Amino acid sequence: MDLMQDHAARTFWGKARPNAGAAHPFHPAWAHGLDVAAAGRALLRARPRAARALAAGLGLEVPAFEALWLHLLALHDIGKFSHLFQAKVPALCPAHLPPPGIPDPGHPAAGLRLVGGLLMARAAPSGLMRGWGAAPRNRLLQPIFGHHGRPVAMKESWQPDDWRPLFPPASAEAALAYWEAVEKLLPAPEVPAPRAAAAAQASWLFAGMTALADWIGSNQAWFPYAAPGTDLAAYWDEACGRAEAALREAGLVPARPGPRLAFADLTGLSHPPTAIQDWAGTVPLPDGPLLILIEDVTGGGKTEAALTLAHRLLAAGRADGLYLALPTTATANAMVDRIIPLAGRLYAEGARPSLALAHGRAGLHPRFRAAAAGFSEAEPGADRGEEAESGAVASAWLAGESRRALLADLGVGTIDQAVLAVLPNRYGTVRLAGLAGKVLIVDEAHAYDAYVSAELARLVEFHAAGGGTTLILSATLPAVAKAELVESWRRGAGAGAAGAALARTAYPLATLLAPGRDPVEAPLDAREDLCRTLAVTRVPDKDAALARIRAAAEAGACIAWIRNSVDDAVEGAAALRAAGLDPDLFHARFAMGDRLAVEARVLARFGKASTPAQRRGRVLVATQVAESSLDLDFDLVVTDLAPVDSVLQRAGRLWRHTGRDRPIPGPELVVVSPDPAGAVAADWVAAAFPRAASVYRDHGILWRTARELAARPAFRVPQDVRPAIEAVFSDDEADIPEALLSIHFDAVGRAGAERAAARGALLTAAAGYWPDQAWPDEGTVPTRLAEESRTLRLARVADGRLVPWHPDADLRLAWALSEVTVAVRKLRRHLAPAATWHAAVAAARAGWSRFDDAVILLPLEPQPDGTWQGTLVAEDGGSLVVTYGTRLGLML
């Protein structure tokens, strides 16, 4: 084929940042177009499920869709033939092009106008979108030209000649020559225009896969710069081979799922499956997107039930992987250790599934640091029964950032990383592409506020619209939250998903929804050893709580005291030390390196494998970080008053594991709470918890919780769980004391506003990938309405200079491990180190990136008591003393 033989189009550059040692100073625009098309070809062949989904969404057979997509991918950067783009590097700009005289809209917009104008109008043998109207054509072109992570801005009505100012004759001729070469090499099939609604829905996955293909095809390590005169057909063949190798190196070739395993072989557990786990292994799984809700007591084996369901879908060829979404980084870190032994069993013998941790601090987790630093390291192990079964830690490319981590076979991370897929943010569609074809497992679904709950509901809708299965796990899910999830799933799954209303209120309960079928609602028995009666004791204040803890510790018991604020936890730990005990302290205000160490120590000392010697007389004082998903076990739990779902989660850490010798007669939950039966004033909560009154804003919910617990001094699990949850979260305000009503209404109104704010910000599945709202960068899009915070990096003095608090050979990692996040209100405008440190601070910050400009560097000096101290100053000269210690954390 005569493809652009000696044509000037060959010299138009597409990439011009050569790596050291590159053979050529630039990469031709034509070569980059073929690189990305080759990456797309490799993706479709490695991920046939995505290929089928995309083809079906456009009403095409897979071969026709592949031919159309590869043709379009080859054109994704055709806008770079514009003289406006070529002039960005004057030394490489073809001499025959005129100088730019108009503003540059960017090469994606230029390419979109060119294809929608000149290429569509040109009489040519191409079948590219022949006979299509502008609406379906633009629906398909937006994902192609919006490959930089956001749709291309469009005028309300473009004219056919709008491309002309962007492409003078020499540029247009070069672009046409390239297009004609693409038509010969990758001919576009003549296919009918898709239905508008189908094209809009398909555009989400289409955009994510296109951006992914561009990422791969833009990696110079995989696609080195080529000589302009290279033969195009030979280059295409070579690019296809490079793309397949790139996918393997990146970890983007899905591992092959293994055959169905029995429960014991899958989980490695010796005991028979519980009722919920048995149901998960036997319930029929109809075709199409599914929503499965598992409501069972804390410690009842919900995670293993969910993995059983995911395993069945994998083994049946209905999914390629899974993503486990958790409420916090701590719970995600803990889940990784639970998943690793099971990971390899989900896949075929010899397969190496990739395992990724997805949250903002994933690169600091000890297991993933090597991958983040540029290494892909398999888990050690000698045989298929142990660690050899686990997948490899995700490749350096996948582990490099959380949005790519969602592309791994097995993902564990925070809910934030998943809901970013349904918020308008740059490259959010790559997250959607990562979740497509996966079983989405959302643990601790009760743990989210109104804002995140609205995001979760929209994520369920999107996942159902894409054909995916979602599993929702919770011990304490209120009926109103459950109804919202079901409604969202039905909307995403389409009209065929309508069915009878949910009717069951049993607990535990498993619910399965499938398109065109009535819900399956299965009342189940709780695990026998978790069917118990908890003694619930109210004590009026922290002094009474201290007395109970001291007495239990002297008896040899292992105790948790869960408090609602960091300052209260620190105060409680100090009081216990003054009483002669040596408590562990676990909260979120430790430097990251210390927090990871504390987390590991807490799991070792109070977890499933802890020994009697480790546990005897030990006390853990913690905040909500110990409340959910961490497999901790205590003889006695003392808790500050919190909403009933949180209290029951904390109670789930009582006598969690069987077979232990307990030094106290039975499981008891001690609740620090004012008396719900006494006089209730507006400060009923604030007087008891002055520091934590704003942590849980609805004091009516707190009063109801105290009332329900007082009414059940012998709390029966599971019988009392559902009645207590529904009584506390009832919509009827008639029972709330009048003194608390204004606070309650304010909290309800705020929750409604947060829910509305989330819904206003979220993407709409039916709207498709379209520039109808702002698409900001990822870091600027809030996934939670948390209070404003600042990051402090702690430094200590060594040899007259400031070094990271947490030492590491990798200086960037050392600084990251030395970070702690603090609420802005706690800093009270004290945002700078003292003036005496300015020179040393400037020297330490010299190697930081511009993204660290808002980070505060805090120098610390040793104190006689073993702590370290620093000072922050405000613009008005005021000072704030900051104390830090590895046992205490950060105090202001």
Side-chain angles (χ1 to χ4, degrees), residues 327-419:
T328 65
T329 58
T331 54
N333 289 344
M335 187 60 72
V336 162
D337 293 327
R338 294 181 65 184
I339 291 299
I340 281 175
L342 282 69
R345 303 172 202 167
L346 297 168
Y347 291 88
E349 184 80 34
R352 301 298 298 171
S354 54
L355 173 66
L357 179 61
H359 59 65
R361 302 288 186 174
L364 306 183
H365 190 288
R367 191 178 294 277
F368 293 91
R369 287 181 199 169
F375 302 96
S376 180
E377 181 183 9
E379 292 301 318
D383 60 69
R384 190 161 171 77
E386 297 295 333
E387 291 290 339
E389 291 198 53
S390 74
V393 169
S395 70
W397 190 83
L398 280 180
E401 54 182 51
S402 288
R403 61 191 172 198
R404 292 204 296 251
L406 269 67
L407 296 161
D409 297 310
L410 302 170
V412 178
T414 57
I415 189 69
D416 307 73
Q417 300 302 326
V419 299

Side-chain angles (χ1 to χ4, degrees), residues 781-794:
V781 179
T783 56
R784 309 191 188 211
L785 290 185
E787 65 176 320
E788 186 182 359
S789 61
R790 291 290 291 270
T791 297
L792 304 185
R793 283 185 179 166
L794 309 183

